[in-house]
Amino acid sequence: MRIRRGNDEQAAGAVDAPIAGVAVSDDVALVDAISVAEPAAFIDLPVIPYPAARDAGFLVLGEDGDALRLAMREGADPLGLLEWRRAFARPLRIERVDAPAFEKLLGESYALDGSAAAVASDMGIAGDGLDPLALGLPSAEDLLDSADDAPAIRLINGLIAEGLRQGVSDIHIEPYETALVVRMRVDGVLTEKLRMPPHVAPVLVSRIKVMARLDIAERRVPQDGRIGLSLGGKLVDVRVSTLPSRAGERVVMRLLDKENAGLDLGHLGLDGHTAEVLNRALAEPNGIILVTGPTGSGKTTTLYAALRQLNDGARNILTVEDPVEYAVDGVGQTQVNTKVGMTFAAGLRAILRQDPDVVMVGEIRDRETAEIAVQASLTGHLVLSTVHTNDAAGALTRMRDIGVEPFLLASTLRAVVAQRLVRRLCKACRKPERISAPLAEMLSIPEGSTVYHAQGCPECGQTGFTGRIGVFETLRVDDKIRAMIHDNADEATIARYAFSDASDLSRSARELVLAGETTPEEALRITRRIDTSGAG
């Protein structure tokens, strides 16, 4: 790369090593000979301001001796290096990266680390004066591009941005008589993050309700809404739920990273048996596939991954959901709205008139929805849905209890997948130990086996865990199980046959414990009473 300044031409020729994991072109240079003016006011700042970094395409990566390492987005004007060279008064080592890699670096570098805690002390002032400021922010904007220093706005921005950086699924804002508590759920576990004066609550809640387009004057009934945001070019949906309580309105914000909508089945960590059964069921032209598990067990993610596999452009795929969590191109998605009579049953009945090939129902929770789903499968449609049961065999009992005739269930059901999520041990600090006799007995693990426990290190934020991993059991409806369903066989009999040569939830969890992926305590938390099938 050559930079022209007046009649002089400075050649930049030093080559730097590529950024780990980022595509870097061969055109890498050390800008060292450009004359330096007086240092700018912000010369001591370690980063380029976010709007300038985003618009100009330059990003400070770190130091390399006396030089600053800058990422330069492909297509950025190299003359911009002149100003940054003068401003920083240091040599610049430039590493050119492609646009997607630059956007990823941008989002990671400006994730407002720790800003929520830093701003909390500003909230000690009287809350009433912040209400006018709370109305001044648009409902959807780039959080990192906000120039408004209002404490309430900065606190909410910091909470959401920090939550995204830490992989938080839910942010709980809980008012009490003595304090306002903010807790975040990471890997299924709630942890307190902030504790503030109680008078802050009305200001914070009002601001969130404005962003979610809710009625700020209505505080007596629950409300639901959503906020569309971008963080460093990363699109995020925030689902907002308010609930009146004794000390004020409680708010839960669920953070939905739209990148999760792009997951396919190969990235879910399915075991070989589950992947085989599910893929075979998805290849069927009709029938019902059920995914079961409690709230927060990843059922929706599994269904979206299945839809992505089916979404080849040759099928008409329609869904009815409550709510629509991820927008998927090529899939027609309908939102349930009970206030106007748009229930699961009404939505399902309507979309069956839209000539679908594949139908996804967010949840089967009543007889009417179940009967329409069965009729849809009998008329040549592939139906995907969820039910809330503890295990795969329990889904059969649940469907019969709802009112589906056994002979109809036997002829339409193709597969049932039950799943849970357990926290994955940090491999950098996990500690091997001999399993204790009580734990070994409860998990049916040989006494004296080596298992791992959480320790905590900087790499995992001192938690001992990094992310979560799925635990699955899959019931494939073959001729034998079909006959059992038709004959009203009990749940235990079906489970004994179905998992005689396949892993159930308990066995799958044991395998993860012995492989060092999770702890015995995590396995016990998500599994039912140890099966009595004789499998050990």
Side-chain angles (χ1 to χ4, degrees):
M1 178 175 67
R2 305 177 72 83
I3 300 175
R4 184 177 299 277
R5 181 176 180 270
N7 294 325
D8 299 328
E9 192 173 60
Q10 309 293 348
V15 177
D16 194 5
I19 311 169
V22 177
V24 182
S25 72
D26 293 333
D27 193 359
V28 181
L30 177 67
V31 181
D32 198 11
I34 304 174
S35 62
V36 180
E38 289 298 317
F42 56 91
I43 187 172
D44 292 329
L45 293 179
V47 295
I48 298 171
Y50 173 76
R54 180 195 60 194
D55 297 338
F58 296 100
L59 174 67
V60 176
L61 298 174
E63 294 182 328
D64 186 0
D66 292 334
L68 275 179
R69 293 173 56 235
L70 259 67
M72 175 178 169
R73 183 176 56 212
E74 284 187 352
D77 186 357
L79 292 178
L81 295 171
L82 294 170
E83 295 304 321
W84 295 119
R85 176 66 177 87
R86 293 190 184 97
F88 289 123
R90 296 175 64 178
L92 304 179
R93 191 174 294 276
I94 308 304
E95 303 181 14
R96 180 171 293 178
V97 299
D98 58 28
F102 184 85
E103 293 300 326
K104 183 178 179 182
L105 286 171
L106 192 69
E108 292 173 350
S109 299
Y110 291 85
L112 298 183
D113 186 9
S115 60
V119 117
S121 60
D122 295 341
M123 300 298 292
I125 62 175
D128 293 341
L130 294 177
D131 279 344
L133 293 174
L135 299 173
L137 193 68
S139 61
E141 67 167 4
D142 194 323
L143 297 180
L144 301 178
D145 198 16
S146 175
D148 197 332
D149 289 334
I153 294 173
R154 291 194 292 120
L155 177 58
I156 295 168
N157 290 355
L159 285 172
I160 295 174
E162 189 173 327
L164 290 169
R165 182 185 63 81
Q166 295 181 3
V168 168
S169 61
D170 301 88
I171 300 174
H172 293 240
I173 298 173
E174 305 167 344
Y176 300 100
E177 283 84 353
T178 58
L180 173 67
V181 177
V182 177
R183 297 194 292 169
M184 295 187 182
R185 188 181 296 277
V186 182
D187 295 337
V189 178
L190 273 172
T191 306
E192 183 176 319
K193 296 294 184 180
L194 290 175
R195 185 174 286 265
M196 294 174 287
H199 68 259
V200 173
V203 182
L204 212 56
V205 172
S206 293
R207 178 63 212 145
I208 293 171
K209 289 168 76 172
V210 168
M211 295 176 72
R213 302 182 184 274
L214 301 178
D215 184 356
I216 63 171
E218 181 56 78
R219 301 176 181 176
R220 301 166 298 173
V221 298
Q223 297 186 63
D224 294 298
R226 60 195 317 141
I227 306 170
L229 299 169
S230 67
L231 184 73
K234 187 176 188 177
L235 295 177
V236 178
D237 270 345
V238 182
R239 215 166 72 203
V240 177
S241 173
T242 70
L243 179 70
S245 68
R246 187 161 53 92
E249 288 182 280
R250 295 170 62 100
V251 177
V252 175
M253 295 186 289
R254 170 156 288 189
L255 309 184
L256 301 170
D257 186 348
K258 291 191 175 181
E259 290 183 2
N260 288 342
L263 291 177
D264 55 38
L265 290 175
H267 290 88
L268 294 184
L270 303 176
D271 59 78
H273 175 70
T274 298
E276 179 188 355
V277 172
L278 190 53
N279 283 318
R280 184 181 300 178
L282 290 172
E284 295 278 351
N286 54 63
I288 298 176
I289 301 171
L290 295 177
V291 181
T292 81
T295 300
S297 60
K299 299 187 300 295
T300 301
T301 301
T302 300
L303 285 180
Y304 273 101
L307 288 184
R308 181 177 174 84
Q309 179 166 310
L310 295 170
N311 188 18
D312 57 4
R315 296 180 175 94
N316 183 22
I317 303 176
L318 299 177
T319 75
V320 53
E321 307 171 59
D322 182 24
V324 175
E325 295 197 0
Y326 303 109
V328 181
D329 290 338
V331 176
Q333 297 170 276
T334 303
Q335 170 82 44
V336 166
N337 187 350
T338 54
K339 293 179 181 178
V340 297
M342 183 60 173
T343 61
F344 277 118
L348 180 54
R349 189 180 295 109
I351 65 178
L352 288 177
R353 294 193 288 267
Q354 293 280 313
D355 185 33
D357 298 296
V358 179
V359 174
M360 188 186 92
V361 186
E363 181 185 347
I364 295 178
R365 57 175 66 157
D366 55 49
R367 178 173 183 170
E368 187 179 9
T369 306
E371 288 179 345
I372 299 171
V374 168
Q375 292 301 320
S377 67
L378 289 173
T379 53
H381 304 89
L382 185 62
V383 180
L384 283 65
S385 189
T386 70
V387 290
H388 282 110
T389 61
N390 290 327
D391 50 44
L396 307 179
T397 304
R398 173 66 175 155
M399 293 291 283
R400 289 188 298 208
D401 288 344
I402 287 175
V404 179
E405 293 290 345
F407 72 92
L408 290 175
L409 188 61
S411 62
T412 57
L413 196 61
R414 299 289 178 263
V416 183
V417 177
Q419 63 182 81
R420 300 288 192 279
L421 293 174
V422 294
R423 291 184 290 173
R424 188 197 297 265
L425 278 166
C426 173
K427 294 188 177 179
C429 65
R430 62 182 183 177
K431 180 183 177 182
E433 293 179 357
R434 296 289 181 184
I435 190 168
S436 64
L439 274 179
E441 183 180 357
M442 285 188 285
L443 285 171
S444 294
I445 290 176
E447 191 172 342
S449 298
T450 298
V451 296
Y452 291 83
H453 290 277
Q455 284 284 96
C457 67
E459 190 169 320
C460 61
Q462 304 301 329
T463 64
F465 298 94
T466 55
R468 290 188 286 179
I469 186 172
V471 181
F472 301 92
E473 70 175 21
T474 310
L475 188 153
R476 181 171 66 88
V477 181
D478 57 16
D479 291 338
K480 177 71 171 176
I481 290 182
R482 196 170 289 117
M484 289 181 176
I485 297 172
H486 186 276
D487 295 338
N488 271 324
D490 63 84
E491 188 177 318
T493 302
I494 294 175
R496 241 188 329 265
Y497 169 77
F499 302 114
S500 59
D501 58 352
S503 293
D504 60 6
L505 285 172
S506 299
R507 211 176 312 170
S508 297
R510 287 199 297 269
E511 291 169 0
L512 290 178
V513 170
L514 292 173
E517 294 287 348
T518 193
T519 65
E521 293 78 12
E522 280 289 297
L524 285 174
R525 180 177 62 83
I526 60 97
T527 57
R528 63 180 185 272
R529 180 174 56 86
I530 296 300
D531 62 88
T532 58
S533 63

